[in-house]
Amino acid sequence: MIGEAELRARVDAAIAAGPALRARPREQVAERVAAAWALIADPERAPGRAARERLPETTGLSLPMIAWALQATFERADRQAHLEAARRMAPPDGAARAPARFSALVLAGNVFTACVQPCSMALLAGSPLIIKASSKDDVLPSLFVAALAQVDVELAEACEVVTFPGGTPTLESALMSRADVVSVYGSDATLTAVRRRLAPTASLVAHGHGLGAGFVSRDALENEDAARAAATAFALDVAAYDQRGCMSPHVIWVERGGGVDGADWASMLAAQLDRLAADLPRGPLPREVGAAQIQWRGVAAARGELIEGDGWSVSYEGEAALRVSPGWRNVMVLDVDGPAALGAALAPLGVHLKTLGVAGDAARRREVAAALPAGLAPRVTAAGQMQRPALLSLADGRPPWEGLFRLTALE
């Protein structure tokens, strides 16, 4: 574990790398950062091979799932996406912009690709970065820094990775007390603890505990082929990352009035999860999750119809109240009358609803988004895309570069 003196020295070094980083043309930074990620995306290159060799052990995901996640992430975080991000970071008219002198990023361990967007955004903004990775998994951020050093040694000096157990006050203070902005992925308790350690002038960009949900519109249920396509798309959303991320759907509402009802659609979803169990097998189930899974499935069997397979289950419970599943490919299917009723059902999730997948066309997605109650700001996307956010996707309803700039009005 890193010591306090060494951590403070690394913070000093990162801050010292700031002027050189900010002197670079932003487009050049975008090119180099995208090139570093591309080395990891490529299974034929050494960083790409290392990712596929090491991540199954540190994440608990199967190798096919790792390979899918890398492809799904980096196909939307390529050179063009980074250049577009650099372009959009221009300050609004009538304002001057100052990048954060130094930023810290605290990662959780549930989704290994969560580091991609914040790492890219910090460097594009001109803010040197120290990443506190999960003590169980620092593979991807460490590979990124190493790959960046292959592409551009000077640029890599503006990005460091450290690990230490959460709840270590001296180390957390050493990392965060000098940061202008701290982005945190973690539980609500983690966010509260971090907030206490920040300087009064620092910004906290909080990404707390969250989950996803789904909606199958009756337009996507007009016949069996359409309904099966929706089930195929949502099955991938459930299986991705073994349903451990904040974008993973725990419940899918099926709109009444289509050609296929909720019970039959649940069976279609089960069939697709069974197919994915072979193509993208689930990782080993932790013992503590196993107990929660048994309890959740037991209630499901008592309240409705439970369909189980190898490493997955679907619970169809009609109009029952939402129950959050333990993840690991256990999902609930419920009936709903339409977008207005869906909004009411989602309201209790509040800011914890991160992503809402919709099976239906763009017009239905807009209708569903318009029906969401105040206080909810999920990313609304097509079914099958819930786990594939673009590099420029809003993060918790905020721009992905939130906190990385201070804007000064010029009048």
Side-chain angles (χ1 to χ4, degrees):
M1 184 174 74
I2 192 170
E4 182 180 352
E6 183 181 353
L7 180 55
R8 290 188 182 281
R10 292 197 188 189
V11 171
D12 289 339
I15 292 173
L21 172 62
R22 289 186 282 276
R24 295 284 193 99
R26 187 165 294 113
E27 291 75 14
Q28 184 188 78
V29 176
E31 297 264 9
R32 305 292 167 78
V33 170
W37 289 125
L39 289 175
I40 300 171
D42 188 346
E44 302 300 322
R45 304 296 294 267
R49 289 196 300 273
R52 288 156 179 81
E53 290 169 1
R54 296 167 58 189
L55 283 167
E57 179 177 352
T58 57
T59 65
L61 297 170
S62 67
L63 177 57
M65 189 75 257
I66 293 289
W68 178 88
L70 290 171
Q71 178 185 6
T73 299
F74 293 123
E75 71 185 8
R76 307 199 72 181
D78 60 7
R79 173 179 174 273
Q80 287 303 320
H82 281 80
L83 288 171
E84 178 64 15
R87 187 185 68 80
R88 292 200 196 179
M89 283 183 176
D93 292 340
R97 180 189 58 202
R101 185 187 57 150
F102 163 63
S103 57
L105 170 64
V106 180
L107 295 171
N110 55 336
V111 173
F112 72 94
T113 55
C115 64
V116 174
Q117 185 190 62
C119 287
S120 292
M121 293 301 143
L123 294 174
L124 286 172
S127 179
L129 173 73
I130 288 189
I131 306 159
K132 180 199 173 299
S134 164
S135 55
K136 296 179 180 177
D137 178 24
D138 67 346
V139 171
L140 190 57
S142 295
L143 287 174
F144 170 64
V145 174
L148 192 59
Q150 288 186 39
V151 173
D152 189 321
V153 172
E154 184 183 69
L155 192 56
E157 292 174 353
C159 191
E160 279 263 15
V161 180
V162 300
T163 60
F164 54 84
T168 310
T170 55
L171 296 177
E172 290 179 350
S173 292
L175 174 62
M176 300 171 191
S177 62
R178 298 171 66 192
D180 290 334
V181 56
V182 179
S183 295
V184 183
Y185 292 76
S187 66
D188 293 345
T190 298
L191 298 179
T192 300
V194 168
R195 188 175 284 110
R196 287 197 296 264
R197 304 198 189 290
L198 299 187
T201 56
S203 298
L204 172 66
V205 181
H207 304 282
H209 176 72
L211 75 166
F215 174 70
V216 186
S217 75
R218 59 176 174 268
D219 303 339
L221 298 166
E222 60 182 4
N223 56 54
E224 289 197 0
D225 287 343
R228 191 169 293 107
T232 300
F234 271 123
L236 181 59
D237 290 329
V238 173
Y241 300 94
D242 289 349
Q243 203 189 9
R244 290 157 49 185
C246 62
M247 299 180 189
S248 299
H250 285 237
V251 56
I252 300 170
W253 278 275
V254 177
E255 187 176 20
R256 292 190 178 93
V260 175
D261 64 19
D264 287 342
W265 190 83
S267 296
M268 292 179 176
L269 178 63
Q272 295 306 316
L273 284 171
D274 195 52
R275 177 183 59 81
L276 287 175
D279 296 343
L280 298 172
R282 190 179 75 174
L285 189 68
R287 183 174 301 177
E288 66 275 14
V289 177
Q293 177 179 276
I294 289 172
Q295 182 179 25
W296 187 87
R297 291 185 181 184
V299 174
R303 291 176 30 160
E305 179 182 357
L306 177 68
I307 311 170
E308 297 180 273
D310 181 11
W312 59 267
S313 77
V314 176
S315 167
Y316 172 68
E317 301 182 26
E319 296 182 349
L322 164 64
R323 293 183 302 123
V324 176
S325 90
W328 296 85
R329 307 193 188 188
N330 294 282
V331 62
M332 168 185 277
V333 174
L334 298 173
D335 295 325
V336 70
D337 285 330
L342 175 70
L346 291 169
L349 296 177
V351 298
H352 298 292
L353 180 65
K354 306 290 187 180
T355 302
L356 178 60
V358 176
D361 60 20
R364 289 314 304 270
R365 290 199 295 277
R366 286 193 293 272
E367 181 184 357
V368 169
L372 293 174
L376 270 66
R379 169 175 154 259
V380 178
T381 188
Q385 299 298 315
M386 294 182 69
Q387 306 277 10
R388 300 174 187 236
L391 183 67
L392 282 166
S393 285
L394 298 179
D396 291 290
R398 300 181 296 253
W401 47 80
E402 177 81 3
L404 291 168
F405 296 109
R406 296 287 173 88
L407 296 176
T408 301
L410 298 175
E411 300 177 347

